[in-house]
Amino acid sequence: LAIDGKTLRGTIPAGQMRGRHLLAAYLANEGVVLRQIEVPDKDGELSAAPELLEAIDLRGKIVTGDALFAQRHISRQVMEQGGRYVWRVKDNQPRLKEDIKTLFEPELLLPGFSAALTDFRTATQLSTGHGRIERRTLTVSHELKGYLDWPGAEQVFKLERHVTRQSDGKETLETVYGITSLSPKQASPRRLLTIIRSHWSIENGLFYRRDH
């Protein structure tokens, strides 16, 4: 269940900056909008998210969202309603991001010492299209459970997106971090990678169709 918002195309009056902005809850696999509500603007999405989710049966559902929704109260609400969450984590949660980033940083080893054992597990997906080759590598860990002050936290992850433009070979690398209440038994790295990627189907499956 992907939650995201967008201003409707053609709703911004002449001379104004804001139009009709909707926050939607979208079942990515089925292509169905379960609910959407109007909010004042992008900044209003965070305060509207609890209302949006409150009227939805979250039992058996995995709620996904960008870093805006990586909030303790929203995570707690999802869990209390019987769901699970997968959030990206950015600078709006600086302590959480730093803890996750530090976990995945290479260990500095002194001569004569070996690296500490970790539970890191990885999965990789490769795709081509739009003139580029994209390799996505997800590294997942269960080690911060019990350490993080976060409702329901089970696993954290690092997602590296390596893109090569086929026309000239130019390469870019993007690294993002995230957190989920799905346990290792509930979501392997490969399944998590699929869940994260499916979130963005709301762009093509809902927003693009609505605008055109």
Side-chain angles (χ1 to χ4, degrees):
L1 182 70
I3 56 174
D4 202 359
K6 191 175 188 299
T7 300
L8 295 180
R9 182 179 181 182
T11 64
I12 303 177
Q16 297 187 27
M17 299 294 293
R18 297 175 178 174
R20 192 180 184 195
H21 195 89
L22 299 179
L23 178 64
Y26 179 76
L27 280 176
N29 292 337
E30 289 80 6
V32 174
V33 177
L34 288 188
R35 191 180 185 219
Q36 59 185 2
I37 58 177
E38 187 169 356
V39 296
D41 50 46
K42 178 71 176 178
D43 295 335
E45 290 183 12
L46 185 55
S47 59
E51 178 187 347
L52 177 77
L53 294 172
E54 186 177 24
I56 299 174
D57 183 358
L58 297 183
R59 290 174 297 179
K61 296 181 177 63
I62 302 167
V63 181
T64 63
D66 62 24
L68 174 68
F69 303 106
Q71 306 289 335
R72 287 178 174 82
H73 69 285
I74 297 179
S75 301
R76 187 177 297 108
Q77 178 181 354
V78 170
M79 297 290 292
E80 289 175 350
Q81 290 183 222
R84 295 292 183 268
Y85 62 79
V86 177
W87 310 129
R88 292 178 65 175
V89 175
K90 291 186 178 180
D91 292 338
N92 63 323
Q93 294 290 350
R95 174 64 185 274
L96 178 61
K97 178 185 175 182
E98 188 61 29
D99 285 341
I100 299 172
K101 181 179 179 181
T102 300
L103 175 68
F104 291 114
E105 285 180 346
E107 183 180 359
L108 296 177
L109 297 178
L110 296 174
F113 289 82
S114 58
L117 295 176
T118 70
D119 71 337
F120 294 177
R121 293 158 296 126
T122 63
T124 300
Q125 288 181 347
L126 187 69
S127 63
T128 59
H130 306 289
R132 65 183 190 177
I133 302 171
E134 181 175 347
R135 185 176 70 249
R136 294 171 296 278
T137 302
L138 186 76
T139 305
V140 184
S141 175
H142 185 58
E143 291 184 3
L144 293 185
K145 180 183 178 181
Y147 171 80
L148 294 177
D149 178 23
W150 199 269
E154 286 282 344
Q155 300 186 88
V156 295
F157 59 85
K158 177 178 73 170
L159 175 62
E160 297 171 293
R161 298 173 60 192
H162 182 270
V163 178
T164 303
R165 194 162 61 191
Q166 292 176 295
S167 61
D168 57 7
K170 181 180 179 180
E171 299 181 350
T172 59
L173 177 64
E174 177 190 22
T175 301
V176 298
Y177 300 96
I179 189 169
T180 179
S181 61
L182 291 166
S183 70
K185 288 184 178 181
Q186 292 171 321
S188 65
R190 184 165 300 280
R191 187 185 181 208
L192 264 181
L193 192 52
T194 299
I195 291 169
I196 294 166
R197 192 179 182 198
S198 70
H199 171 80
W200 302 112
S201 66
I202 194 172
E203 293 286 342
N204 293 327
L206 176 60
F207 297 152
Y208 181 84
R209 287 188 301 171
R210 198 159 60 186
D211 282 350
H212 294 78

